[in-house]
Amino acid sequence: MKLTDILSGSLNAAEWQQKGYQLPQFNIKAVREKTAQEPTWVHFGGGNIFRAFPAAILNDALNAGEYDRGVIVAETFDYDVVDKAYTPYDNLSLLVSLQSDGNIEKKVIASVTEALKADYQFADWQRLCDIFRKPSLQMISFTITEKGYAYNEADLERGMQPVFAMGKVTALLYERFKAGRLPLTVQSMDNCSHNGGRAKAAVLAYAERWVNDGLVPAAFADYLRDKTSITFPWSMIDKITPRPHEKVKELLAADGFEDNNYIETEKHTFTAPFVNAEEVQYLVIEDDYTNGRPPLHLGGALYTTRETVDKVETMKVTTCLNPLHTAMSIYGCLLGYTLISAEMQDDDLRSFIQKIGYIEAMPVVTDPGVLNPYEFIGAVINKRLPNPFMPDAPQRIAMDTSQKLPIRFGETIKKYHARGLDKSNLSLIPLVLAGYARYLKGIKDDGTPFQPSPDPMLDELQAIVAPLEVGKTNQDYSCLRQLFSRRDVFGVDLYEIGLGEQIEDMVKELFDGTGAVRKTLHKYVRER
């Protein structure tokens, strides 16, 4: 059983279906021909999240017979992805949905019609220029990570042959401008706040520099700012797509599916002909398109207003997911866990995050209307975090914690204060922040050392708690005021807000010798 069997004429469909594989229900060659002539969608970034989510929901629309065109992939960074993960497999891939009950769903994704290298050194660049001149093109989109929207002075100085992704996109938009100021939507699908704004800022930085340098007319920058021509909608995306999992590789091999090899490129991209991902997914998009759009709503995408997208993002980041992740990462490291799914089998930790979400954070959440906050948290606690196929580690989530705390907890505390709510109702959120002081010491609950995860402020914050010792009686905890008054770390001065002394008392309990973390966690969770 190989992916290339599907287009070669050697497919034994009955065997695939008997083993639980869902095959494409549309004419792949016809869709590819139509897309080549009249493309509607180009996606930049051919990684795992794209294949598991945007490409998969387009595949659903094609299977339903509701659409006739696929998506063209353009890779801006790691060209080995095209050569090793797309071309050898006829641009097909296998999506393996990993469900919390231990079952898996296997679906062949055939919605990708071409995979191109987005760089001037390749012949593919001319093909991309041709595509951008097509009136049929409706949308370009991105899953290039937050770093992909970066630009710097050196790249701006390269003129119209930049190295960074958004510079290349701007050069392609210039081709569309020259073809008659054709309309287009530039749609970020990356997991970062106000992502459309980041895309717009980067594109305009290149365009304005080129105008100043006399490389393009001023009308090009005007075209990019004209909301009737070019739009940069916001979106919120949420789906975990980890590296190819050994368990999945073994399951596929047992089926006789031969395309189960791991691929690591020279740039250390980890991929495979298959993508494993969780079953739960969300894609909420600002409905601001100038030339129509592919029907991703048929696969579950939600189109709404910018204000609603922002509310969904805020709900996720400050209440329903990200704070729970951080709470589990801090205490997971302290208690010696290496898997989030294993933490969810711990009654104290499971109750800890349940009560943070449902009891302490929920009173200040803004219901976005399109997604129910209670149902969102329910999916997190009952399906997403316990999923045995998700090899996510608290150590990974604990990276850059100092940068996350102001948003994930500081915003909730600010809302309690601004609305005059009784902050005495907060005990577990303060316990998370107290746990951070113990985490910074790098000593687990059993007394053994561990290395806190990378963080730009780690050395500075560890120096603050350096005088404290686990298990030492009658020690001076005055250093904690220097830590918990840091607005840059917690979003507020916790003493001014009325929580500093409460958190200090919790820290003292957490430092009270071996086993103190478990004892303190259990105490406050039970009391709550």
Side-chain angles (χ1 to χ4, degrees):
M1 296 168 62
K2 296 181 180 181
L3 290 168
T4 51
D5 294 345
I6 293 171
L7 290 174
S8 69
S10 58
L11 175 67
N12 183 343
E15 180 184 9
W16 287 65
Q17 292 166 352
Q18 186 270 329
K19 293 180 178 178
Y21 290 74
Q22 300 177 33
L23 294 169
Q25 300 300 302
F26 56 93
N27 186 321
I28 299 173
K29 292 182 179 179
V31 166
R32 292 186 175 189
E33 289 173 4
K34 181 73 171 178
T35 306
Q37 296 166 3
E38 299 178 36
T40 56
W41 179 15
V42 174
H43 183 86
F44 291 85
N48 294 335
I49 181 63
F50 163 70
R51 292 191 293 165
F53 198 175
I57 61 178
L58 180 64
N59 199 79
D60 289 344
L62 290 167
N63 278 337
E66 300 289 339
Y67 200 53
D68 60 358
R69 271 161 282 190
V71 56
I72 297 166
V73 167
E75 178 58 43
T76 62
F77 172 69
D78 193 340
Y79 308 119
D80 279 350
V81 170
V82 173
D83 290 334
K84 295 182 178 180
Y86 281 89
T87 302
Y89 306 101
D90 291 338
N91 297 326
L92 305 172
S93 62
L94 181 72
L95 171 59
V96 182
S97 294
L98 311 170
Q99 302 177 356
S100 56
D101 61 5
N103 292 320
I104 64 173
E105 178 185 84
K106 298 165 286 191
K107 182 187 298 184
V108 175
I109 305 301
S111 56
V112 176
T113 61
E114 294 178 69
L116 305 171
K117 302 173 184 178
D119 196 271
Y120 318 95
Q121 64 180 304
F122 301 112
D124 289 352
W125 183 256
Q126 188 56 52
R127 170 62 180 152
L128 279 168
C129 290
D130 291 342
I131 291 169
F132 269 72
R133 299 186 194 110
K134 297 272 191 180
S136 61
L137 187 62
Q138 298 175 331
M139 176 178 80
I140 60 172
S141 59
F142 309 90
T143 49
I144 54 176
T145 76
E146 187 171 358
K147 295 177 182 178
Y149 299 91
Y151 56 93
N152 59 30
E153 186 65 25
D155 208 45
L156 294 173
E157 289 179 353
R158 292 188 177 98
M160 296 190 68
Q161 289 198 339
V163 172
F164 289 7
M166 299 310 292
K168 296 174 184 178
V169 168
T170 309
L172 291 167
L173 289 170
Y174 185 54
E175 295 297 324
R176 194 158 184 81
F177 167 78
K178 292 189 295 181
R181 299 177 65 104
L182 299 173
L184 187 68
T185 291
V186 180
Q187 179 68 69
S188 173
M189 294 181 180
D190 274 296
N191 186 21
C192 53
S193 182
H194 302 172
N195 49 21
R198 293 171 185 255
K200 183 177 183 178
V203 165
L204 286 175
Y206 285 97
E208 289 169 355
R209 179 60 175 266
W210 297 347
V211 169
N212 291 338
D213 290 348
L215 299 175
V216 300
F220 175 51
D222 294 337
Y223 160 73
L224 295 175
R225 295 190 193 95
D226 180 359
K227 294 180 180 179
T228 65
S229 297
I230 305 294
T231 54
F232 299 84
W234 295 3
S235 72
M236 190 286 290
I237 190 169
D238 188 18
K239 185 179 181 73
I240 299 174
T241 53
R243 292 178 181 180
H245 197 295
E246 180 64 30
K247 290 182 181 178
V248 176
K249 176 182 171 70
E250 293 171 358
L251 287 168
L252 297 179
D255 284 341
F257 182 78
E258 296 182 37
D259 295 329
N260 54 48
N261 52 298
Y262 294 145
I263 299 167
E264 180 181 358
T265 69
E266 290 186 5
K267 292 186 175 181
H268 304 296
T269 298
F270 295 88
T271 186
F274 65 91
V275 181
N276 42 237
E278 66 172 337
E279 61 188 298
V280 179
Q281 58 189 29
Y282 304 94
L283 180 57
V284 184
I285 303 174
E286 177 189 356
D287 195 358
D288 187 15
Y289 286 72
T290 58
N291 196 34
R293 53 175 167 79
L296 299 186
H297 63 283
L298 297 175
L302 299 174
Y303 287 94
T304 183
T305 64
R306 173 172 291 193
E307 180 184 18
T308 301
V309 172
D310 195 35
K311 287 179 179 178
V312 171
E313 177 76 24
T314 301
M315 177 193 77
K316 182 188 86 165
V317 171
T318 66
T319 303
C320 296
L321 175 61
N322 295 24
L324 313 187
H325 254 159
T326 292
M328 295 193 77
S329 70
I330 291 172
Y331 278 86
C333 291
L334 289 172
L335 294 172
Y337 282 101
T338 57
L339 284 174
I340 291 293
S341 58
E343 286 191 69
M344 290 302 291
Q345 306 305 312
D346 186 310
D347 289 341
D348 286 336
L349 288 171
R350 186 183 180 95
S351 295
F352 186 37
I353 64 166
Q354 274 184 309
K355 292 178 177 180
I356 288 173
Y358 284 123
I359 298 176
E360 298 197 1
M362 195 64 77
V364 296
V365 75
T366 299
D367 187 339
V370 295
L371 292 175
N372 183 291
Y374 288 92
E375 293 177 0
F376 195 103
I377 289 185
V380 169
I381 292 173
N382 297 315
K383 290 185 177 181
R384 306 183 71 180
L385 298 181
N387 194 323
F389 283 112
M390 290 292 108
D392 217 348
Q395 291 76 17
R396 185 193 71 82
I397 297 170
M399 292 175 61
D400 303 328
T401 294
S402 71
Q403 312 299 294
K404 299 170 180 176
L405 292 173
I407 300 298
R408 299 186 179 191
F409 297 101
E411 290 303 308
T412 292
I413 293 170
K414 287 178 186 176
K415 289 175 182 176
Y416 264 81
H417 186 69
R419 299 179 190 181
L421 299 177
D422 186 357
K423 288 189 286 294
S424 67
N425 289 329
L426 296 176
S427 61
L428 300 185
I429 288 177
L431 186 62
V432 176
L433 306 184
Y436 187 52
R438 171 66 193 257
Y439 169 88
L440 289 170
K441 284 299 296 183
I443 299 175
K444 290 189 284 189
D445 198 28
D446 63 5
T448 60
F450 72 92
Q451 176 58 49
S453 302
D455 186 307
M457 299 182 72
L458 182 61
D459 292 344
E460 178 184 353
L461 298 178
Q462 283 190 308
I464 294 175
V465 300
L468 301 181
E469 296 181 33
V470 175
K472 183 179 179 180
T473 58
N474 300 320
Q475 61 182 317
D476 182 2
Y477 284 92
S478 60
C479 62
L480 293 177
R481 182 168 288 270
Q482 184 182 350
L483 175 65
F484 293 121
S485 61
R486 295 280 297 259
R487 288 184 174 86
D488 57 337
V489 178
F490 301 101
V492 293
D493 181 328
L494 291 163
Y495 294 93
E496 288 184 2
I497 215 81
L499 293 174
E501 287 78 9
Q502 175 189 358
I503 295 172
E504 276 194 23
D505 289 341
M506 291 175 167
V507 173
K508 293 174 184 177
E509 293 181 66
L510 291 168
F511 271 79
D512 189 25
T514 302
V517 174
R518 171 65 70 181
K519 179 181 177 181
T520 305
L521 176 65
H522 182 74
K523 168 190 167 182
Y524 284 100
V525 168
R526 184 184 60 210
E527 290 178 352
R528 196 71 178 93

